[in-house]
Amino acid sequence: MNIRLPIVFSLAALLTAAASAQQPVPSGEFTKIQLTDQFWAEGAAYGDFNHDGKMDVVYGPYWWAGPDFKVRHTYRPDTDKSKVKTADGKEIEISGFKGALGNENGYSDNFLTYVYDFNGDGWPDILVIGWPGKEAFWYENPKGADTPWSKHLAWDVVDDESPMLTDLFGTGKPVLVCCSGGYIGYAEPDWKDPEEKWKFHPVSPKGTYQRYTHGIGVGDVNGDGRKDILEATGWWEQPKSLDGDPVWKKHEFQFGSGGAQMYVYDVNGDGKPDIITSLEAHKHGIAWFEQTNDNGVEGWTKHIIVGDKPEDNPQGVMFTQPHALWLQDMNGDGLPDLVTGKRFWAHGPTGDIDPNSPPVLYWFELKRNAGKVEWIAHLIDDKSGVGCEVMAGDLNGDGKPDVIVGNKRGAFVFLRK
């Protein structure tokens, strides 16, 4: 017994080391542009704000004009200052909030950002979702003028850490899927009077949903042509009629302990929609849940993409804080791939698990081989990570998707070569 224990331990150590050694290095597929090292927001987005036919990037109170992203414009107040200590203990004042420029934890007033033309004037506006539990505001594009944008209240209590602006009803117009006041539901603009405060429609009975609830998504889970709302403890089936704001039917299932954005897609191509999500936003785990429905009984089988140890992934990939996910066909093969990574300092340099490991940013390539599914990891960068939000899209018009990150290390654009 005294002989075998060291041998078993050594084998386990070798296996772990071998898996760790296989972890990808940055692939060189992208050109990295850091827009700023100041911390203003936990997400960034894009749109053609000046109507020059080129995509621009918005992060915090600024937007940068594409395609080179060198010229910065201020669309809302940028007067926030923070005092941080340098490595030698000297206190200095910086613009923005406490992040990687210091060594203490801080938070911004901008957790997520979305872009949409809310007033229908043909110019994209900006939706800022602030601190969880507080207001969301949309800022009206002054039709390209380099002046402050008018501020409008969207909704006054936006709970959940990953609310989604998405077309829930297939109308071509989005709603904000979120929690509010203990309910899960959606806030909808009055498209006839867009400057009015939005109306919240609950889809659940009042429950324990609150400002720091994790995990939310939208997709047609049962294939009836209507999009449903997902959360960590199940999915809410959209009814045939929305008259009178009925309570939607809940299908109970534990999709992890509460992650980030959740997506519906037929991963393995068997004709049944599956669910892709992170398992715990502040710990480990990304998975896809295969819908089984054997003998008419609803069921789900969990498949780990990234787990809590290197051997859970064929390439030895492991990281914590998967607080943002995005689906995008990154290689043009017709299958959506997964863009995600490690949220940098979600709760500061001493918070959560493993806060100071490299802030990695990946895209996982979806492959189907004879009915089997693979997610092949491509490391985009290991010095940026994600925030509460990560986005991909074609920023420079070359037909290839690029990636945008905003977090406590600043804002980054990764252009696909």
Side-chain angles (χ1 to χ4, degrees):
M1 193 73 174
N2 290 332
I3 295 174
R4 291 180 181 176
L5 275 174
I7 293 174
V8 171
F9 175 80
S10 298
L11 287 172
L14 286 171
L15 288 171
T16 301
S20 298
Q22 296 170 6
Q23 291 200 34
V25 296
S27 62
E29 298 171 276
F30 295 83
T31 298
K32 179 179 179 179
I33 302 172
Q34 184 165 14
L35 303 180
T36 178
D37 60 1
Q38 297 170 354
F39 171 40
W40 288 100
E42 291 281 6
Y46 65 95
D48 182 7
F49 301 122
N50 56 3
H51 271 198
D52 66 351
K54 308 293 183 182
M55 288 297 171
D56 313 306
V57 171
V58 55
Y59 168 72
Y62 307 115
W63 66 270
W64 284 261
D68 56 11
F69 310 106
K70 293 181 179 179
V71 178
R72 189 183 78 179
H73 303 263
T74 304
Y75 76 93
R76 63 181 176 90
D78 61 346
T79 55
D80 293 282
K81 304 287 184 182
S82 300
K83 291 184 177 180
V84 300
K85 290 183 179 179
T86 60
D88 60 4
K90 182 181 178 181
E91 187 175 75
I92 62 172
E93 186 175 71
I94 61 170
S95 295
F97 301 89
K98 292 183 178 181
L101 291 179
N103 54 15
E104 299 175 278
N105 191 35
Y107 298 98
S108 73
D109 60 359
N110 186 173
F111 267 56
L112 294 98
T113 306
Y114 291 102
V115 173
Y116 188 77
D117 178 10
F118 292 106
N119 59 359
D121 66 354
W123 294 79
D125 309 304
I126 297 170
L127 176 67
V128 172
I129 299 172
W131 187 270
K134 293 190 176 181
E135 305 94 339
F137 296 96
W138 69 274
Y139 291 82
E140 182 180 351
N141 191 329
K143 298 183 178 179
D146 203 4
T147 59
W149 296 24
S150 298
K151 180 180 180 182
H152 306 281
L153 175 66
W155 182 243
D156 47 14
V157 182
V158 179
D159 294 331
D160 193 277
E161 292 205 14
S162 306
M164 298 180 75
L165 186 74
T166 184
D167 184 2
L168 178 59
F169 301 112
T171 61
K173 294 183 180 295
V175 299
L176 182 63
V177 178
C178 63
C179 305
S180 187
Y183 299 89
I184 190 167
Y186 59 95
E188 184 176 27
D190 180 350
W191 299 108
K192 295 180 180 178
D193 192 357
E195 294 185 16
E196 283 295 305
K197 187 173 77 170
W198 300 3
K199 181 180 180 181
F200 183 77
H201 301 263
V203 307
S204 74
K206 189 166 185 177
T208 57
Y209 305 106
Q210 41 85 27
R211 62 174 60 189
Y212 303 124
T213 295
H214 285 75
I216 204 164
V218 164
D220 183 2
V221 178
N222 58 357
D224 65 357
R226 295 184 294 272
K227 293 181 182 178
D228 311 299
I229 294 179
L230 322 174
E231 42 120 335
T233 65
W235 61 279
W236 297 84
E237 181 180 347
Q238 184 180 153
K240 292 181 179 179
S241 174
L242 299 173
D243 293 343
D245 280 343
V247 172
W248 297 15
K249 178 182 177 182
K250 186 180 184 183
H251 299 253
E252 298 277 353
F253 190 82
Q254 198 68 44
F255 297 105
S257 300
Q261 294 82 8
M262 304 173 71
Y263 296 97
V264 177
Y265 179 71
D266 180 7
V267 173
N268 56 359
D270 66 354
K272 290 176 285 190
D274 308 305
I275 292 176
I276 305 166
T277 182
S278 56
L279 301 176
E280 293 184 274
H282 296 291
K283 292 184 180 179
H284 298 91
I286 302 170
W288 70 278
F289 288 82
E290 179 184 0
Q291 187 170 177
T292 55
N293 289 340
D294 292 331
N295 299 317
V297 178
E298 182 179 339
W300 301 91
T301 300
K302 181 170 68 174
H303 301 273
I304 294 294
I305 301 173
V306 176
D308 60 3
K309 50 188 182 298
E311 49 266 39
D312 289 337
N313 178 275
Q315 295 168 267
V317 174
M318 184 188 73
F319 55 86
T320 61
Q321 312 278 354
H323 210 301
L325 294 85
W326 185 268
L327 282 190
Q328 184 84 31
D329 182 1
M330 297 295 291
N331 57 359
D333 65 355
L335 299 178
D337 308 299
L338 176 64
V339 181
T340 185
K342 176 184 177 69
R343 181 181 172 191
F344 176 72
W345 280 8
H347 294 134
T350 59
D352 302 309
I353 298 173
D354 202 20
N356 295 303
S357 285
V360 291
L361 174 66
Y362 281 96
W363 72 276
F364 289 85
E365 179 183 0
L366 174 58
K367 286 286 188 183
R368 295 173 179 161
N369 295 309
K372 295 183 178 180
V373 169
E374 292 181 272
W375 294 91
I376 302 170
H378 300 259
L379 182 59
I380 299 172
D381 186 60
D382 59 3
K383 295 180 176 62
S384 55
V386 300
C388 293
E389 182 179 45
V390 64
M391 285 191 183
D394 184 7
L395 299 183
N396 56 5
D398 65 356
K400 293 175 288 198
D402 311 300
V403 179
I404 312 170
V405 168
N407 62 13
K408 293 180 182 179
R409 296 180 73 87
F412 303 85
V413 170
F414 295 90
L415 296 177
R416 188 70 179 266
K417 294 180 182 178

